[in-house]
Amino acid sequence: MDFDLSEEQRLLKDSVDRLMADRYGFENRQRYAKEPEGWSRDLWSAYAELGLLALPFDEAHGGFGGGPVETMTIMEAFGRSLTLEPYLATVILGGGLLKQGGSEEQKATYLPQIASGDLRLAFGHTERQSRYDLFHVGTSAQRDGGSFILNGQKSVVLHGDSADKILVTARVAGSRRDRDGIGLFLVDANAPGVSRRGYPTQDGQRAAEVTLESVRVDSGNVIGNPEGALPVVEKVTDIAIAALAAEAIGAMDEMLKLTVDYLKTRKQFNTTIGSFQVLQHRSSEMFIALEQGRSMAMFAAMMAQEQNPEERRKAISAAKVQIGRSGRFVGQQAVQLHGGVGMTMEYKVGHLFKRVTMIDTLFGDADHHLSNLAEAGGLMAA
Amino acid sequence: MDLRFTDEELAFRDEVREFFRTALPDSIRRKMIEGHHPSKDDLVTWSRILNTKGWAVPHWPVEWGGTGWSPVKQYIFRDELQQAPAPEPLAFGVSMVGPVIYTFGNEDQKRRFLPRIANLDDWWCQGFSEPGAGSDLASLKTTAKRDGEYYIVNGQKTWTTLAQHADWIFCLVRTDSTVKKQEGISFLLIDMKTSGITVRPIQTIDGGHEVNEVFFDDVRVPVENLVGQENKGWDYAKFLLGNERVGIARIGISKARLKRVRELASLERIGDVPLIDIPRFREKLAAVEVELKALEMTQLRVVAAESRREKGKPDPASSILKIKGSEIQQATTELLMEVVGPFAMPYHPEEEGRNEPTDGPDWASTAAPTYFNWRKISIYGGSNEIQKNIIAKAILGF
């Protein structure tokens, strides 16, 4: 048992922290949000130079062979600084799906392009009535010789507006909520029949509605078994949840820090309001929620690598429950304890609050995962 | 970072688990599972089994019977003991006064008391709280006045757990009332057979008798029973309370109780549907499991950091363990009572040797009393509100 970072992990953490300190102050962040794609191309290049975009991939594919702990380290720093770049969409989700499900040829083709910063990806899975169920796939994929014809619509595709290629789930066989019969397809964002409508999300990031009308995908862009992609999709989204948990921890940690600093400086009734016990206790409760969340983010990082999918899914669900609940408490209280300042667009804390709120809705909120966990028999077998 | 136990730690866990499976008398295990209090004899029996094995005081220095286990192994031991579920060795001896004696006591005191604590030859109780000194413990008023080779002790202690069985009591007493309140307190060991001591029971809301008032009326205590220096008792008390918080999360107990909840909720039926299949109930149960898993990871973080910390300086993060540990234990008792449903109602005072059948299923009778009794754990050991003060000051820097 060892909770410490290795020497290499510490170096990684230091370099990401330094990059964030130098270039991702809150004012910069708000400026990057106004760039055409809603994030900074310069920072994307900086991530590539630091090797962050190559991190989880094998060395054979231009990567560094990093695991969930390395990802956690980066994501926590990103959460603290509220980064906007499509790291989750491209590296964790898109890259993850290719790494876990792709053929050797596909990996050799695409992963080095991700690593160099030249290829951006997105993952479309949500549909109008799917809510958080990854197996709910109404988008169809009809066989046509060796290729497939895709029809359907994917909603809230993270960074789908700026992606070069979009991975989508589509149904090859079975009915809308069957676990079998789901394929994963790599679609060129500019292919005939693909239309995208991009928009900003509540937390200042970007997403898109993606419509597929008779989009032809040739066999070379089918990822894995065209009727059995769900296990890979679930595995990669579990890894993504672990990454988001770490991002949420970074954001919560920053909120607590900002709040405690504020309480120590803001004066009312001729004293700093941090001298009031009611506010001290609230801060202590935020600290507890944060640390319980941090513990579960670590647990998620460990269990994202678990070989047994049932155990992995239960553990990840448990972590998402805790992160959702901790995030809601810490976020709401951070705004509350800042008073009116916490309500303003120009102050960072509200943006952190919005980010953790939206993280709860990504890949299943606390209720969704609690329900799944309970149905699967809970964390502790009787 | 590798949060898994090593192969060696896993092998150790198996060894410990096997020992608890075979060495714990069935009658005691039964009582523990069903939520009854182990008797004094049960605890003595069990402590001596542990002591014979050399595991009565694993966290003590090796020369006084400790095992030299790493903090992780000690955690595993405690966790397995609680999950067995086996009674925990009497905390007032092995976790409280024992460490104070081997850290601050003199050689005579160590030789005289430590082996008897480890073997539960002496039953210790804790004389800290007073009617006027609860959370504000340092305002205690029980006095000890020097008279030749004796202290003369006068005053009253309260909430003294299991004093009815006690051979000895360790007390905080005021030896100087002219200085700042924390600086006039001493740590005194008092033989309960000394004349002038009266123990009066306090019945708690569950109907049980765990706590007592202890009165001291001109009690003569030899000065050799002073631990450390006169008027330094507050430092020793803080040390003791910090140690108390480390083990206080009782994750293994909550694990065992959640397992019990899940078992009983599979047996309890609403019509033909097992309670465990009702989504509302099973989600409540799962939510507590999530909190407990988070706390277990937090506890392991504290344990892993322990080896790097200055000795005798408890991690302020252990306040999290106290707060969440007590909240989760309380939540498990609520769940158990909900499982029992209407059969939580009948009240059977717990009496030694009582063997009339209970009304309702035989697991039901302890559910409500345990729930009521367990409200104590967010109060004792520094109430949860005091723990929040500690976090605010020691961690957040208010």
Side-chain angles (χ1 to χ4, degrees):
Chain A
M1 171 113 15
D2 171 17
F3 287 81
D4 294 334
L5 297 178
S6 68
E7 187 56 31
E8 282 183 344
Q9 289 164 344
R10 181 147 296 280
L11 287 173
L12 172 70
K13 177 176 164 27
D14 289 347
S15 62
V16 178
D17 285 348
R18 205 174 314 119
L19 179 69
M20 292 293 113
D22 290 347
R23 301 188 60 185
Y24 234 104
F26 182 60
E27 282 172 21
N28 283 345
R29 190 259 187 188
Q30 296 307 77
R31 208 173 58 242
Y32 302 151
K34 295 197 181 82
E35 291 190 17
E37 291 168 308
W39 47 272
S40 166
R41 287 250 173 190
D42 285 349
L43 264 295
W44 192 251
S45 303
Y47 299 159
E49 278 164 33
L50 266 185
L52 305 187
L53 304 182
L55 195 78
F57 309 132
D58 294 338
E59 284 171 29
H61 305 125
F64 293 104
V69 175
E70 283 77 8
T71 298
M72 181 172 80
T73 303
I74 296 177
M75 293 304 288
E76 195 178 325
F78 283 177
R80 216 180 293 281
S81 295
L82 284 169
T83 59
L84 298 161
E85 289 67 37
Y87 191 83
L88 184 85
T90 298
V91 178
I92 309 287
L93 290 168
L97 289 166
L98 290 168
K99 177 186 164 181
Q100 303 286 344
S103 66
E104 188 48 47
E105 192 187 341
Q106 289 165 336
K107 287 191 268 196
T109 307
Y110 296 118
L111 297 184
Q113 293 181 45
I114 296 175
S116 64
D118 295 320
L119 176 67
R120 274 168 304 279
L121 299 174
F123 175 39
H125 54 93
T126 302
E127 299 186 359
R128 180 63 190 90
Q129 289 178 310
S130 68
R131 283 186 69 85
Y132 302 122
D133 291 333
L134 294 163
F135 55 81
H136 178 115
V137 177
T139 298
S140 65
Q142 276 182 301
R143 286 182 195 274
D144 183 45
S147 25
F148 288 84
I149 309 294
L150 270 55
N151 280 287
Q153 185 168 348
K154 295 292 181 182
S155 296
V156 204
V157 180
L158 300 178
H159 286 110
D161 55 343
S162 59
D164 304 303
K165 291 177 186 294
I166 304 173
L167 289 132
V168 295
T169 49
R171 186 161 291 287
V172 174
S175 60
R176 207 161 56 156
R177 290 178 66 79
D178 285 350
R179 291 183 61 85
D180 292 329
I182 298 168
L184 182 64
F185 302 89
L186 183 63
V187 177
D188 193 300
N190 297 313
V194 176
S195 54
R196 295 186 281 179
R197 188 168 50 78
Y199 50 82
T201 53
Q202 293 291 339
D203 49 15
Q205 305 220 358
R206 300 282 305 178
E209 295 295 297
V210 177
T211 306
L212 306 165
E213 279 177 310
S214 301
V215 177
R216 177 174 295 275
V217 179
D218 64 39
S219 60
N221 286 316
V222 178
I223 310 300
N225 176 355
E227 296 191 28
L230 189 63
V232 166
V233 168
E234 286 179 338
K235 182 174 185 184
V236 172
T237 51
D238 281 354
I239 292 169
I241 288 171
L244 283 167
E247 185 187 342
I249 290 304
M252 284 186 239
D253 200 44
E254 181 76 355
M255 282 193 277
L256 178 62
K257 183 175 159 294
L258 290 173
T259 303
V260 169
D261 287 349
Y262 182 78
L263 295 178
K264 286 177 181 172
T265 48
R266 168 74 174 166
K267 287 192 170 174
Q268 288 285 275
F269 308 103
N270 298 317
T271 184
T272 52
I273 60 175
S275 64
F276 300 133
Q277 192 180 42
V278 68
L279 301 184
Q280 291 182 3
H281 277 199
R282 197 75 56 78
S283 307
S284 298
E285 287 156 10
M286 290 169 71
F287 173 75
I288 294 169
L290 164 65
E291 292 306 318
Q292 288 284 83
R294 192 189 303 279
S295 289
M296 286 308 265
M298 291 175 168
F299 182 59
M302 171 174 80
M303 294 301 288
Q305 317 174 79
E306 166 64 39
Q307 295 299 313
N308 177 334
E310 277 80 39
E311 289 305 310
R312 186 197 72 225
R313 291 176 64 198
K314 288 202 288 187
I316 295 290
S317 282
K320 196 66 166 51
V321 170
Q322 182 67 51
I323 291 295
R325 293 182 167 192
S326 287
R328 181 164 293 189
F329 181 77
V330 172
Q332 290 179 349
Q333 297 309 321
V335 171
Q336 177 72 23
L337 267 50
H338 275 87
V341 177
M343 292 297 299
T344 59
M345 268 295 191
E346 69 179 285
Y347 192 66
K348 186 177 182 184
V349 84
H351 295 268
L352 291 157
F353 170 49
K354 290 197 286 183
R355 181 58 187 154
V356 295
T357 303
M358 291 303 123
I359 285 176
D360 187 39
T361 72
L362 290 176
F363 304 109
D365 60 16
D367 274 1
H368 170 84
H369 282 284
L370 183 62
S371 167
N372 280 3
L373 175 62
E375 198 179 342
L379 273 180
M380 276 158 235
Chain B
M1 186 180 301
D2 186 351
L3 308 189
R4 288 163 302 187
F5 289 130
T6 62
D7 288 345
E8 192 206 338
E9 287 161 351
L10 288 173
F12 174 75
R13 186 183 68 184
D14 292 343
E15 181 193 352
V16 169
R17 188 175 287 178
E18 179 62 14
F19 174 75
F20 290 140
R21 199 181 63 75
T22 52
L24 177 65
D26 280 340
S27 61
I28 300 180
R29 188 194 312 273
R30 210 59 248 158
K31 275 191 191 174
M32 296 298 293
I33 289 174
E34 289 172 0
H36 297 285
H37 297 287
S39 67
K40 177 176 184 178
D41 284 349
D42 290 338
L43 210 56
V44 170
T45 302
W46 176 232
S47 296
R48 292 190 182 157
I49 291 171
L50 284 174
N51 202 31
T52 304
K53 177 78 178 170
W55 289 357
V57 286
H59 54 295
W60 285 15
V62 172
E63 63 165 318
W64 296 111
T67 52
W69 290 337
S70 68
V72 173
K73 281 188 173 173
Q74 295 196 33
Y75 169 79
I76 291 172
F77 176 79
R78 202 160 50 223
D79 195 51
E80 290 297 325
L81 179 128
Q82 291 171 348
Q83 286 192 76
E88 289 179 86
L90 188 70
F92 308 105
V94 303
S95 305
M96 296 187 191
V97 75
V100 168
I101 290 173
Y102 67 65
T103 308
F104 305 107
N106 59 39
E107 285 308 309
D108 283 347
Q109 289 168 339
K110 292 178 198 175
R111 272 195 299 275
R112 181 175 169 202
F113 292 113
L114 293 178
R116 296 182 59 81
I117 291 172
N119 205 44
L120 200 47
D121 294 330
D122 292 334
W123 186 290
W124 283 85
C125 64
Q126 179 183 26
F128 276 25
S129 294
E130 297 181 5
S135 291
D136 181 15
L137 183 59
S139 68
L140 58 93
K141 289 196 170 63
T142 296
T143 56
K145 290 210 166 63
R146 189 73 184 259
D147 176 24
E149 287 307 293
Y150 289 88
Y151 288 103
I152 312 297
V153 178
N154 280 286
Q156 182 194 345
K157 296 291 175 182
T158 192
W159 315 127
T160 315
T161 302
L162 301 178
Q164 69 266 37
H165 303 320
D167 304 300
W168 284 83
I169 183 168
F170 57 92
C171 282
L172 294 180
V173 292
R174 186 154 304 286
T175 36
D176 188 345
S177 52
T178 64
V179 292
K180 200 171 152 233
K181 59 184 178 181
Q182 287 85 356
E183 289 163 8
I185 292 170
S186 299
F187 196 104
L188 214 51
L189 312 177
I190 304 177
D191 187 335
M192 289 292 281
K193 290 186 291 295
T194 322
S195 76
I197 297 179
T198 311
V199 177
R200 191 181 293 164
I202 299 172
Q203 194 180 27
T204 42
I205 52 175
D206 56 307
H209 172 206
E210 276 182 320
V211 290
N212 303 272
E213 297 176 291
V214 182
F215 298 86
F216 298 85
D217 184 15
D218 285 336
V219 175
R220 294 174 70 81
V221 181
V223 292
E224 69 201 44
N225 289 7
L226 174 75
V227 176
Q229 295 175 36
E230 198 176 80
N231 295 328
K232 292 283 179 209
W234 186 248
D235 292 342
Y236 315 148
K238 279 195 295 187
F239 165 84
L240 180 152
L241 291 170
N243 291 340
E244 187 185 0
R245 277 198 294 276
V246 174
I248 215 158
R250 299 224 182 89
I251 287 156
I253 288 183
S254 290
K255 283 183 190 168
R257 196 173 287 115
L258 288 177
K259 235 171 97 178
R260 176 88 172 148
V261 167
R262 196 171 276 286
E263 270 168 28
L264 297 183
S266 311
L267 299 174
E268 277 294 311
R269 282 163 193 270
I270 302 174
D272 294 327
V273 182
L275 182 59
I276 195 68
D277 289 341
I278 308 288
R280 194 191 59 82
F281 180 83
R282 72 180 180 209
E283 284 169 21
K284 261 164 72 167
L285 174 56
V288 178
E289 290 179 339
V290 169
E291 292 262 6
L292 182 60
K293 176 54 79 175
L295 187 67
E296 184 178 22
M297 298 306 292
T298 305
Q299 166 98 60
L300 289 168
R301 286 165 58 199
V302 171
V303 166
E306 202 170 304
S307 46
R308 285 197 303 273
R309 227 178 10 255
E310 204 185 321
K311 262 222 164 329
K313 282 251 189 276
D315 190 339
S318 62
S319 288
I320 299 180
L321 304 178
K322 168 63 174 42
I323 294 171
K324 292 309 293 186
S326 56
E327 287 175 359
I328 290 167
Q329 286 179 74
Q330 291 174 336
T332 64
T333 65
E334 283 179 50
L335 285 170
L336 202 54
M337 188 172 63
E338 287 178 37
V339 171
V340 169
F343 293 102
M345 284 287 280
Y347 173 54
H348 301 279
E350 190 154 317
E351 292 156 20
E352 291 278 330
R354 184 181 179 284
N355 54 12
E356 289 165 48
T358 54
D359 304 291
D362 60 5
W363 62 71
S365 67
T366 57
T370 303
Y371 165 68
F372 294 131
N373 182 279
W374 244 245
R375 301 313 299 171
K376 71 189 176 191
I377 59 180
S378 51
I379 299 169
Y380 68 40
S383 74
N384 286 15
E385 288 68 28
I386 293 291
Q387 304 302 332
K388 287 177 191 174
N389 290 349
I390 292 172
I391 292 174
K393 291 194 168 54
I395 298 177
L396 302 178
F398 282 108

